[in-house]
Amino acid sequence: MYTFIILVALFFDRGEIIIEGKWLIADRDLNEREGLKWLLKTSSIPVTEILLASNIQDFIVTFEKETPDIILLELDMINSENWSGFRELIQIYQPILLLTSAEATFEKARMAIDLQALELMIKPFSATKVKSAYQKAMKTLDKKQGSSDKTNAPFYNDSTYESLFISNTYVLEDFIIAAFKLENSEKVGMLFSFLSDYPFKELHGIFPLSDRVVLLFKEACQNSKEQCQKAMRKWEEEFSEPLAIVVRNENSPHIGLNEKFLETQKMLEFTYYYGYRQMIEFEYPADWTHIDPFLAPPEQRTWVDMLANHDMEGIKKWLYDEFLQLRDPYPDPGLVRIRLTSILAQIRRFMKTFDLDEQLSCEKEYRYIFHSILYDSVLYRSVQNLILFIQKLFLSTDSSRQLFKQDPIERGISYIETHFSNHALKLEDVAKYVERNPSYFSHLLMVKTGRSFTEIVTGIRIKEAKRFLLETAKPVKEISHLIGYHNPNYFSRTFKEIVGVSPRDFRMKKG
């Protein structure tokens, strides 16, 4: 829910409202736990109580008993068995959520997005990063509590303001809504001041929110779009902060102001595709279309080949066609972000093949790209950052290409991971790909991984089966074929031997 900020100190001479919060810090490492607690206690953030948990069971008991306002949780402590219950708990109570993890993987990114976490911090992180996250959480709590406390919210004295945020409340007059959004939300106070001084005509009111400013033009206004365009040009003359505007200019007296407001907020999300420094005009809000957020096996094979062959032109074309040629209806930005992290997972394996994850500069750049994909407000910027990163990796791997040719195990496992869906996949196929004798390659696999070829293939297939069972409604028979099993009954027996329950029971238990 969008909440407005109570700009008491900036716009009203009514004193400052101080919000205090109850915190729960959950981390398996005692030193991490105490260090995070110490950073919080020594900061200037007002805190009523700091609770600690060392495991997921302790966390759940404490959470349900104390219902903290803000949670700082190590995401790695949640295994697949606890995930469903934990997710349900978060959805019910909706605390402000900060997450930490030692794994910068697309799976952790997907989990953080699914939980709508405020921040995902990858270990090791600096004290500055943690304090910044603390401040961000406290600001969110301030807005959250302020929006639910009408006695502390001077804007609620205006019935129009109330109608923006509360459904089933109506005003006599119909309004045209325009929303001004900055890419840097910290400058919203500056934007509010600018718009307050701008000579709009037929304007009912200006309403500052946490990350944007909403304008309501009177129903009689005939040129709201032109006025907003002129205001944007004036803003760009005076400031360098990127600005986007959405205008809902259709007169619809039968629709409540809150519904129009929510439609406008949704349209502002399209800045992820359109970028800033422009205006979006609409009469009816568009709907997101669904996409598979994960790379399909053929796409994985394509990426393995492009990376192995240093096919930079092919990579550019793939990314441009996939992400920068999108047209209405657009996919949900959250699914696009997960799809980008799925690509990043292939790049991660490429890095490990050449030991680039051991190089500090490459690892630091990787974490930057990971963060960019999760939080950057414009899609094309994430794509360009990814392309530049891959170019740097190719330069770093030029000296290691001969070593890669001599490492048949990494190449073989990579081949298996992209061809596991082929039910006819054999050891001989992989051995031929890495140019080794099948018996010798089988021996190398066992020495380096401790597992046989069959165990590796089965493990990959069962992992993919779990994903299909949890994230799709596909029948078990179809899943068995998708992951490389010709016989669905054999797949079910194998799954039960490894997991302990049948595929259907696994799906019902996790659902």
Side-chain angles (χ1 to χ4, degrees):
M1 175 182 179
Y2 291 94
T3 57
F4 61 89
I5 49 176
I6 306 171
L7 301 173
V8 180
L10 290 176
F11 307 120
F12 297 91
D13 186 19
R14 301 192 180 188
E16 182 179 2
I17 299 169
I18 298 177
I19 302 294
E20 295 185 346
K22 182 187 292 187
W23 292 63
L24 172 54
I25 298 175
D27 198 290
R28 292 172 296 179
D29 189 300
L30 174 62
N31 293 331
E32 292 277 3
R33 228 169 30 246
E34 292 298 328
L36 292 168
K37 178 182 178 181
W38 179 83
L39 280 174
L40 182 56
K41 289 181 67 176
T42 56
S43 70
S44 59
I45 296 174
V47 178
T48 56
E49 187 177 3
I50 303 175
L51 306 165
L52 300 177
S54 59
N55 54 60
I56 188 62
Q57 291 77 20
D58 190 20
F59 166 83
I60 292 174
V61 171
T62 305
F63 181 86
E64 291 183 330
K65 180 181 178 182
E66 302 290 342
T67 58
D69 303 301
I70 301 172
I71 292 173
L72 175 57
L73 174 85
E74 179 193 9
L75 193 55
D76 305 333
M77 73 163 54
I78 307 171
N79 57 34
S80 58
E81 296 178 357
N82 303 127
W83 171 252
S84 180
F86 171 78
R87 184 175 180 271
E88 183 177 349
L89 200 65
I90 296 300
Q91 288 178 337
I92 292 173
Y93 290 95
Q94 296 185 338
I96 295 166
L97 192 59
L98 303 174
L99 299 175
T100 68
S101 175
E103 302 176 21
T105 63
F106 79 95
E107 176 65 18
K108 297 301 180 183
R110 183 189 67 79
M111 293 169 71
I113 292 172
D114 188 28
L115 293 170
Q116 297 185 343
L118 189 63
E119 189 80 41
L120 172 60
M121 297 180 286
I122 304 302
K123 298 180 179 181
F125 36 68
S126 66
T128 302
K129 176 67 175 176
V130 174
K131 288 181 179 179
S132 175
Y134 285 167
Q135 293 288 349
K136 188 175 181 181
M138 203 59 208
K139 289 179 181 178
T140 303
L141 178 63
D142 188 28
K143 300 165 193 173
K144 183 177 180 181
Q145 294 190 359
S147 68
S148 62
D149 184 358
K150 293 186 179 182
T151 61
N152 288 334
F155 294 132
Y156 269 102
N157 293 332
D158 187 305
S159 61
T160 307
Y161 219 128
E162 184 174 331
S163 299
L164 277 174
F165 296 99
I166 302 176
S167 60
N168 300 323
T169 57
Y170 298 93
V171 291
L172 295 176
E173 187 178 356
D174 191 26
F175 296 109
I176 298 170
I177 295 183
F180 287 63
K181 181 183 178 182
L182 289 172
E183 187 170 7
N184 181 4
S185 61
E186 295 181 359
K187 303 291 186 179
V188 69
M190 182 171 65
L191 176 62
F192 175 77
S193 299
F194 168 82
L195 295 175
S196 298
D197 294 335
Y198 190 84
F200 289 106
K201 297 179 180 179
E202 299 292 337
L203 185 68
H204 172 77
I206 302 176
F207 306 91
L209 312 182
S210 58
D211 60 348
R212 65 205 66 186
V213 178
V214 172
L215 276 62
L216 295 183
F217 289 93
K218 296 178 181 179
E219 184 179 6
C221 183
Q222 299 296 318
N223 63 344
S224 57
K225 175 183 176 181
E226 290 74 12
Q227 290 193 67
C228 289
Q229 286 177 327
K230 290 179 180 178
M232 173 178 276
R233 288 196 292 269
K234 182 67 174 177
W235 169 268
E236 291 181 344
E237 290 174 4
E238 298 184 14
F239 306 97
S240 59
E241 298 292 335
L243 174 68
I245 303 174
V246 166
V247 178
R248 190 192 192 284
N249 58 13
E250 176 71 10
N251 291 330
S252 306
H254 60 285
I255 298 179
L257 191 56
N258 172 252
E259 185 176 346
K260 293 180 183 179
F261 170 71
L262 294 177
E263 290 176 356
T264 305
Q265 308 313 309
K266 181 175 181 179
M267 291 304 297
L268 275 174
E269 295 182 46
F270 281 82
T271 54
Y272 185 64
Y273 299 107
Y274 297 148
Y276 287 78
R277 303 186 188 280
Q278 60 182 299
M279 189 173 77
I280 303 169
E281 186 181 13
F282 77 103
E283 295 182 0
Y284 304 99
D287 291 324
W288 301 124
T289 187
H290 180 76
I291 61 169
D292 186 347
F294 300 100
L295 294 179
E299 293 173 318
Q300 293 178 18
R301 288 193 291 272
T302 297
W303 269 95
V304 169
D305 292 340
M306 289 191 301
L307 290 169
N309 296 321
H310 284 204
D311 184 7
M312 198 66 239
E313 290 305 313
I315 288 173
K316 285 181 180 179
K317 185 178 186 307
W318 199 100
L319 290 173
Y320 288 158
D321 291 346
E322 181 74 15
F323 297 109
L324 302 187
Q325 303 297 326
L326 292 170
R327 295 293 182 268
D328 191 30
Y330 290 93
D332 187 319
L335 296 180
V336 174
R337 293 181 193 275
I338 294 175
R339 190 158 175 79
L340 283 167
T341 59
S342 185
I343 293 170
L344 200 57
Q346 297 298 320
I347 296 172
R348 185 67 167 176
R349 168 158 289 282
F350 176 76
M351 291 174 62
K352 286 182 175 292
T353 300
F354 293 97
D355 294 325
L356 297 180
D357 57 320
E358 301 296 329
Q359 296 183 20
L360 184 60
S361 60
C362 289
E363 183 65 14
K364 183 178 180 181
E365 185 82 5
Y366 171 83
R367 292 174 183 271
Y368 170 79
I369 298 299
F370 184 76
H371 190 276
S372 169
I373 289 172
L374 287 186
Y375 301 111
D376 213 320
S377 58
V378 181
L379 174 59
Y380 74 80
R381 190 180 300 137
S382 295
V383 172
Q384 289 301 121
N385 287 340
L386 190 61
I387 289 173
L388 293 174
F389 177 55
I390 296 172
Q391 288 176 333
K392 291 180 181 178
L393 290 180
F394 284 170
L395 290 174
S396 299
T397 56
D398 283 341
S399 59
S400 305
R401 290 184 66 83
Q402 187 60 37
L403 178 61
F404 175 71
K405 293 180 181 179
Q406 297 171 358
D407 189 355
I409 300 304
E410 285 294 337
R411 295 176 64 207
I413 292 176
S414 178
Y415 185 86
I416 293 170
E417 288 182 336
T418 55
H419 292 80
F420 70 87
S421 59
N422 178 8
H423 68 86
L425 181 65
K426 302 187 295 294
L427 171 67
E428 288 76 11
D429 299 328
V430 186
K432 182 179 179 181
Y433 175 76
V434 299
E435 300 176 339
R436 293 293 187 277
N437 176 274
S439 298
Y440 179 60
F441 178 69
S442 178
H443 170 72
L444 289 178
L445 269 181
M446 182 62 71
V447 170
K448 186 164 184 178
T449 69
R451 295 184 295 166
S452 67
F453 168 77
T454 302
E455 289 172 333
I456 291 173
V457 174
T458 301
I460 293 171
R461 286 173 172 170
I462 296 301
K463 180 179 179 182
E464 187 68 7
K466 287 181 178 179
R467 184 180 75 81
F468 277 121
L469 289 167
L470 291 176
E471 299 175 5
T472 74
K474 295 180 186 297
V476 172
K477 182 178 180 180
E478 182 181 351
I479 292 175
S480 70
H481 289 299
L482 288 173
I483 64 171
Y485 285 99
H486 188 66
N487 187 326
N489 292 327
Y490 178 72
F491 158 64
S492 295
R493 289 197 304 271
T494 303
F495 188 94
K496 187 171 183 179
E497 288 176 3
I498 294 175
V499 181
V501 295
S502 69
R504 288 184 176 84
D505 290 342
F506 178 82
R507 171 176 275 167
M508 293 177 63
K509 181 179 178 182
K510 297 302 179 182

